[in-house]
Amino acid sequence: MNSTDSRKLDQQLRAAAQPVAAGRVHHVSAQALLERIVSSPRTAEAPPASALRPALHWRRWAVAGVAAAAVSAAALIVPGVGDEAAYASWTATPAALPAGAAETLSRDCMTQKLAPDWGYTQAELDQAREVLGETRGAYQYVTVATGRWTATCFRDKAGSVHWGSSFESPVPDAQLGGKGVELQAWGQLKTSEGYARLMAGHLGADVTGVDVTRPDGTTVRATVRDRYFLAWYPEAAEETRPTTITLRLKDGGTVTDLSARDLYEAPKLD
């Protein structure tokens, strides 16, 4: 396939991407799952050794929220639009997501994983043990983690729920050590306002803060808790400039200039 054909296909896939229908995000079994997520303490269980295969980072991604598998694969890399009027209430510094809102969004997000076409069993969903959430203006963003996979979910200004991504076979805490980081979400999501870059990840024990330097040079402060982080921001169309990450450590030091693209390919282990 030549570059012209590839670009046409890419444009067709982007145009086909649609938010998840509201009717898919309410299910009785998700209510029970939510109770297990928010009531069970987080433990540092490692995935089985067989899950720690030396695969490239991108091979462990699955994206939801679109109608067909081909579109799902493309949704990680679709570019955004540069409309300054879009995402007007977005802020570089997040606020805490109230417990009730986090529970509701987590429930709606995990209900989408109950769909049989994504292949997760109820037993796997029962392992969900972590909910990390934030608000930026009119928008809500959460991540849910287990020892074997993580998922992100976004609620836009209109109230629509978008399943951002799934990430398979995360590395265990021990491999991240003190200063390690694994980028578990770094895809673009389309809403009625344009495109947004969603980020989430797993951190070493010494990391207390994460700052994201956007392609335009501005800094986004991530939400960090219990060795996980997440952040998101609007991003212009066809953005090719780099995004970097800075880790702030409990001893006052920093780990700077970590390329998001490189972390997308493989984690930084300590």
Side-chain angles (χ1 to χ4, degrees):
M1 181 181 294
N2 60 40
S3 60
T4 299
D5 291 337
S6 297
R7 185 173 181 81
K8 287 181 179 178
L9 176 59
D10 184 53
Q11 291 171 340
Q12 290 171 347
L13 291 172
R14 293 171 193 165
Q18 297 293 332
V20 173
R24 293 184 58 199
V25 297
H26 296 287
H27 194 284
V28 173
S29 60
Q31 299 283 347
L33 172 61
L34 172 64
E35 293 299 322
R36 287 187 288 271
I37 293 173
V38 299
S39 63
S40 300
R42 180 178 179 269
T43 59
E45 294 179 359
S50 61
L52 302 178
R53 56 190 180 277
L56 286 178
H57 204 64
W58 63 268
R59 290 182 179 176
R60 294 181 283 163
W61 284 95
V63 180
V66 288
V71 177
S72 297
L76 274 177
I77 57 174
V78 295
V81 294
D83 184 357
E84 293 185 357
Y87 301 108
S89 67
W90 177 87
T91 60
T93 300
L97 185 62
E103 292 171 5
T104 299
L105 181 52
S106 298
R107 178 198 65 216
D108 292 351
C109 185
M110 297 311 297
T111 299
Q112 295 180 33
K113 270 196 168 293
L114 292 171
D117 52 325
W118 290 103
Y120 288 96
T121 67
Q122 185 63 54
E124 288 176 304
L125 295 175
D126 288 345
Q127 296 177 17
R129 56 178 168 77
E130 172 77 9
V131 176
L132 180 61
E134 67 174 27
T135 61
R136 296 178 190 266
Y139 313 94
Q140 301 175 355
Y141 183 36
V142 299
T143 184
V144 177
T146 78
R148 295 198 292 174
W149 51 263
T150 65
T152 62
C153 201
F154 183 83
R155 191 185 299 278
D156 64 24
K157 183 174 67 174
S160 298
V161 173
H162 306 262
W163 183 11
S165 62
S166 292
F167 182 81
E168 300 290 342
S169 301
V171 300
D173 288 353
Q175 287 189 264
L176 289 175
K179 302 176 184 178
V181 56
E182 178 176 53
L183 191 59
Q184 298 178 338
W186 191 52
Q188 285 192 325
L189 175 72
K190 182 181 180 182
T191 76
S192 61
E193 294 182 86
Y195 290 87
R197 175 70 69 176
L198 305 184
M199 302 182 73
H202 189 195
L203 299 166
D206 295 339
V207 182
T208 60
V210 176
D211 295 327
V212 180
T213 301
R214 299 169 64 188
D216 64 5
T218 59
T219 299
V220 179
R221 180 65 57 88
T223 296
V224 176
R225 191 182 75 231
D226 295 337
R227 301 187 64 168
Y228 286 91
F229 78 94
L230 74 164
W232 74 275
Y233 53 88
E235 190 169 78
E238 304 291 351
E239 182 59 72
T240 59
R241 294 171 295 175
T243 296
T244 60
I245 293 174
T246 296
L247 307 181
R248 290 183 277 114
L249 308 176
K250 63 184 179 183
D251 64 2
T254 58
V255 179
T256 61
D257 296 324
L258 297 173
S259 165
R261 185 171 297 279
D262 289 347
L263 290 175
Y264 172 69
E265 296 293 341
K268 175 190 176 298
L269 305 179
D270 185 13

